[in-house]
Amino acid sequence: MKKISFLFIYILVTISFSCSGPTITDDLLDGEVVFDPSLYNPEQFLVSAKYPIPTPADLNKHIILAVHGYTATTFEWQEFQDWSVTPSYRISQVLLGGHGRDYNAFKNSTWEDWRSSITSEYEKLIALGYTRISLVGSSTGGTLLLELVNSGYFNNHLHPKNIFLVDPIVVPSNKLQTLVGIIGPMIVYVETDQTAAENNYWYRFRPYETINELNNVMSIVRKGLENGMTLPSGTYLKVFHSLHDPVASTTSSVLIYKGLKTSSGSKIEVQLIYSDIHVFTRLNLRTKVTLLQKNNQLDVFNQIANKLN
Amino acid sequence: MKTTLIFLVIFCTSIANAQTLEVGLRVQKTQEMYWENGVSAQFSFAKFKPEQFFLGLDYVTSRLGTAYQSNAIKQDSYLLSGSWLFNKNKPYHIVTRFNMGYFYSDLEEDMFAAIPNTSFLVSPEVGLKYNFKKMPISLNLGVGFYIITAKEGYSPGTLQPLYYHLDLYYSILKTRKK
């Protein structure tokens, strides 16, 4: 009888908490007023939209798809876009599915939805005739790119020239993230501590369902790495990771190094960055930026650009 | 190696005064992380709460779990525990346990030397133990939680808090009460 009572109380508590969502105001990306600008102005962000009928000169350019992380938007790679003045490559800033919209759109999205924006733009570029395409992913963006390698997506599509990963997440630094599968229905969502300015570009509230999705795709990639993954032929890959990343454990890059090989069986490249911020290539809206952080950012931008030129 | 030797010395000294000594195998799974298997031993003292208070030593490793023939991180946990059994006169017991120990993960390459890979371990546990009546065998099921106080980004990534384990013990020493 006691056991039934405890079960009943647990279900009651879970249901009552599940009914309570966060209080979302119009100044948040989570609301229904602020959206990622790529949704209503895609030609400013996607190469396929900006050049729907590319000339031979356009097709000769190297295209790099820049993929942001969990809860973020195209803003995460805007600094790379602003920094890149070279005419030899173009950046296509992808907005992940379910992101940059509102809380409910995010809550109802799966990691496959997030990934679909990457494959959609990649396939549009191939269909338009581009032959030199590279990819850069930060945080979950990197995880999704690894999932594409693991799933064999590139077996049937043009092989990317380069893949760059910045603070990819395969193992979380936040120790409570692995518990969300159990306590998720009770906590419903997690609120992030971010500034008012950042509220325009990152969801403030993280529905537990999406944290589960993140854990799921991380688990798939981690198992793939445990079993061994191979890059498509001709693809170069380099990982950059903050030494004390507070979100994506740096152990993630150890696992990538151990589990991912080039098509010829060689090791991939990893560079640890003396930093304790997550996605160290994004410095805009940080409360305090040091010279070291600026140099770290420029180092990575230069390395990527040199590979594309 | 040094840690292993210290544990062995503690173990050998303690069993000299043991009322009950159980040794066995442990199968452990961490939530959203690795299978880590190994050995477990525990003993109670004749002169202090026999059959109720147990001291234990455990060693679990991913080398015998997820990392066996895979690219997973090879990691080891060494634990010293104190357990308290309720319902001591019945074949099944509720067990509360407190563990302290040391965690080490082998990141293998010199270039990863600066990444945090060790941690002290502290974890409370609850579980259930069943002693088979006609055999010197017992099963212990436990769930524990590593209390990790390090700042995010400063503890080993593959050390995650919630874990479950199943121990299969064989009693190799059981002194009758005088």
Side-chain angles (χ1 to χ4, degrees):
Chain A
M1 188 61 194
K2 272 184 181 174
K3 283 179 187 172
I4 294 169
S5 300
F6 279 128
L7 187 65
F8 179 73
I9 290 167
Y10 174 81
I11 292 169
L12 200 67
V13 168
T14 303
I15 290 172
S16 62
F17 273 92
S18 301
C19 295
S20 60
T23 304
I24 297 169
T25 49
D26 286 347
D27 57 325
L28 303 178
L29 178 65
D30 314 59
E32 294 178 356
V33 175
V34 180
F35 295 100
D36 185 81
S38 72
L39 289 171
Y40 45 81
N41 215 351
E43 64 278 6
Q44 279 190 7
F45 295 87
L46 297 173
V47 169
S48 66
K50 188 169 187 178
Y51 305 98
I53 307 170
T55 64
D58 291 328
L59 293 175
N60 198 35
K61 292 186 188 299
H62 201 142
I63 308 298
I64 182 162
L65 263 71
V67 186
H68 63 80
Y70 174 76
T71 73
T73 56
T74 53
F75 182 82
E76 198 158 83
W77 282 104
Q78 189 59 44
E79 280 162 276
F80 183 48
Q81 177 74 276
D82 296 340
W83 176 86
S84 298
V85 290
T86 173
S88 62
Y89 66 86
R90 285 177 175 152
I91 302 167
S92 201
Q93 290 166 267
V94 171
L95 178 69
L96 294 180
H99 287 69
R101 294 161 171 86
D102 59 57
Y103 180 82
N104 284 325
F106 188 39
K107 181 182 170 183
N108 295 324
S109 66
T110 64
W111 68 263
E112 289 95 338
D113 296 330
W114 308 346
R115 183 190 60 182
S116 65
S117 301
I118 307 170
T119 53
S120 169
E121 176 65 0
Y122 195 73
E123 288 164 28
K124 279 180 190 169
L125 292 171
I126 295 169
L128 288 171
Y130 289 96
T131 56
R132 294 196 302 153
I133 308 175
S134 291
L135 303 154
V136 59
S138 49
S139 192
T140 302
T143 317
L144 292 168
L145 297 181
L146 288 171
E147 193 283 329
L148 287 176
V149 173
N150 184 51
S151 66
Y153 172 80
F154 295 112
N155 294 344
N156 306 315
H157 296 87
L158 177 76
H159 294 179
K161 293 288 179 196
N162 307 281
I163 300 177
F164 304 98
L165 309 177
V166 174
D167 294 341
I169 183 164
V170 179
V171 177
S173 289
N174 184 325
K175 302 298 181 185
L176 298 181
Q177 187 173 325
T178 54
L179 307 183
V180 170
I182 298 168
I183 61 171
M186 286 180 280
I187 61 170
V188 186
Y189 63 88
V190 174
E191 185 173 1
T192 316
D193 182 23
Q194 59 189 33
T195 64
E198 287 173 328
N199 284 338
N200 288 304
Y201 303 104
W202 283 264
Y203 286 130
R204 186 172 184 86
F205 298 104
R206 303 174 168 191
Y208 82 90
E209 293 92 339
T210 63
I211 302 175
N212 278 337
E213 289 297 317
L214 174 58
N215 284 341
N216 288 344
V217 69
M218 281 165 48
S219 178
I220 289 167
V221 170
R222 204 165 54 240
K223 284 184 173 65
L225 292 167
E226 286 166 10
N227 296 329
M229 282 163 51
T230 306
L231 285 169
S233 59
T235 299
Y236 167 87
L237 185 141
K238 181 161 184 176
V239 188
F240 303 93
H241 212 130
S242 282
L243 181 56
H244 295 292
D245 188 326
V247 176
S249 169
T250 317
T251 311
S252 302
S253 286
V254 179
L255 288 168
I256 295 167
Y257 182 80
K258 281 169 65 85
L260 180 60
K261 298 283 186 286
T262 68
S263 61
S264 60
S266 302
K267 291 176 176 176
I268 55 119
E269 288 186 34
V270 174
Q271 182 179 342
L272 297 184
I273 306 293
Y274 194 77
S275 160
D276 61 358
I277 56 174
H278 180 56
V279 187
F280 65 91
T281 47
R282 193 275 297 182
L283 296 179
N284 269 353
L285 304 186
R286 301 267 186 199
T287 47
K288 187 183 172 188
V289 177
T290 65
L291 181 63
L292 176 63
Q293 288 171 345
K294 191 69 191 165
N295 288 339
N296 287 338
Q297 182 199 52
L298 290 176
D299 175 28
V300 173
F301 285 177
N302 274 310
Q303 287 192 50
I304 294 173
N306 289 339
K307 275 284 182 183
L308 303 176
N309 285 328
Chain B
M1 189 63 192
K2 194 177 170 184
T3 315
T4 311
L5 279 173
I6 292 169
F7 268 70
L8 277 174
V9 169
I10 295 170
F11 179 76
C12 293
T13 311
S14 302
I15 60 170
N17 297 308
Q19 153 93 10
T20 302
L21 173 61
E22 299 175 329
V23 296
L25 301 173
R26 170 171 288 195
V27 177
Q28 182 167 308
K29 175 73 171 74
T30 302
Q31 176 77 13
E32 294 279 347
M33 198 42 68
Y34 294 155
W35 286 95
E36 293 168 271
N37 306 320
V39 291
S40 178
Q42 59 176 12
F43 37 87
S44 69
F45 300 98
K47 293 180 180 175
F48 181 74
K49 300 292 181 185
E51 305 295 319
Q52 191 156 39
F53 176 72
F54 281 79
L55 270 185
L57 286 169
D58 307 293
Y59 168 69
V60 291
T61 176
S62 65
R63 298 168 204 272
L64 299 174
T66 305
Y68 180 72
Q69 292 189 336
S70 92
N71 298 312
I73 303 283
K74 295 176 180 67
Q75 58 188 39
D76 310 286
S77 297
Y78 306 87
L79 291 164
L80 177 66
S81 67
S83 305
W84 188 267
L85 272 65
F86 295 91
N87 307 339
K88 75 169 189 174
N89 296 321
K90 293 183 178 174
Y92 57 88
H93 315 280
I94 292 172
V95 184
T96 55
R97 185 190 292 237
F98 184 77
N99 301 294
M100 290 181 75
Y102 181 72
F103 173 93
Y104 167 77
S105 60
D106 184 0
L107 304 184
E108 299 178 30
E109 302 285 336
D110 289 343
M111 68 171 163
F112 298 135
I115 299 175
N117 71 326
T118 61
S119 176
F120 286 103
L121 300 173
V122 173
S123 68
E125 256 186 58
V126 291
L128 277 173
K129 189 180 181 202
Y130 183 80
N131 295 330
F132 288 89
K133 283 180 183 171
K134 294 179 180 175
M135 293 181 288
I137 290 174
S138 59
L139 280 176
N140 181 48
L141 192 66
V143 53
F145 193 91
Y146 289 126
I147 298 168
I148 303 165
T149 54
K151 193 176 161 189
E152 285 167 356
Y154 287 81
S155 72
T158 48
L159 173 62
Q160 294 292 331
L162 184 64
Y163 63 91
Y164 322 90
H165 64 82
L166 176 68
D167 307 298
L168 175 65
Y169 288 120
Y170 182 82
S171 286
I172 58 172
L173 173 67
K174 190 145 192 165
T175 310
R176 289 184 180 280
K177 287 178 191 172
K178 291 177 183 174

